[in-house]
Amino acid sequence: MRITLRYPASPENAALHARIAVELARDDFDAELDLSPASLELADALIDSLREEGRDGEQAAEALFVLGCYLGEVMVRHLGGVWVATARSPLRGVSPWPMVVALRDGSAWDAIGKAYRRLELGDSEYLPAFFEMASGRGAR
């Protein structure tokens, strides 16, 4: 699995990076990601498969980045969020990533960082639970 980021890492290109995740899932895993909240289960499983292969964040950097953008794009589309520059969000100084998802309630969510944490920390960083928390349906 070798993918190349074709676009700068910016809020304006986040949806394009999410599209690369869809291509990655299809081409390398024979799986379909459809940008639905239910598809986050599959995105989570894809990251888990990288973990099971023994890859670390550096070895899977591009895949994790686009899968994080995929998670964020699902949030944008289904929770009414927008991609914003991290420096202009409540996560400035917290997230090292250039963009995060901002929701109408003023909260900001580090979807890209979540993908990396899922690889590094495992099941405790379950992507569907992150979405549920952002939606307000998860336990607070």
Side-chain angles (χ1 to χ4, degrees), residues 12 46 54 98 107 115 127-128 139:
E12 300 78 25
L46 296 179
S107 64
L127 300 187

Side-chain angles (χ1 to χ4, degrees), residues 43-63:
D44 188 83
L46 296 179
I47 295 173
D48 199 43
S49 72
L50 296 171
R51 183 175 170 37
E52 289 172 0
E53 291 173 8
R55 295 179 190 244
D56 62 22
E58 188 174 319
Q59 294 166 327
E62 293 87 358

Side-chain angles (χ1 to χ4, degrees), residues 105-128:
D105 66 2
S107 64
W109 297 82
D110 184 5
I112 298 166
K114 185 64 166 183
Y116 277 83
R117 287 188 303 279
R118 175 61 176 97
L119 179 80
E120 293 167 3
L121 302 176
D123 292 341
S124 66
E125 301 299 317
Y126 187 56
L127 300 187

Side-chain angles (χ1 to χ4, degrees), residues 10-46:
S10 67
E12 300 78 25
N13 293 322
L16 296 171
H17 289 294
R19 198 83 188 109
I20 295 171
V22 172
E23 294 168 9
L24 171 71
R26 183 190 62 234
D27 296 346
D28 287 13
F29 296 95
D30 196 29
E32 290 298 321
L33 292 175
D34 63 5
L35 291 162
S36 69
S39 72
L40 294 176
E41 185 77 41
L42 176 57
D44 188 83
L46 296 179

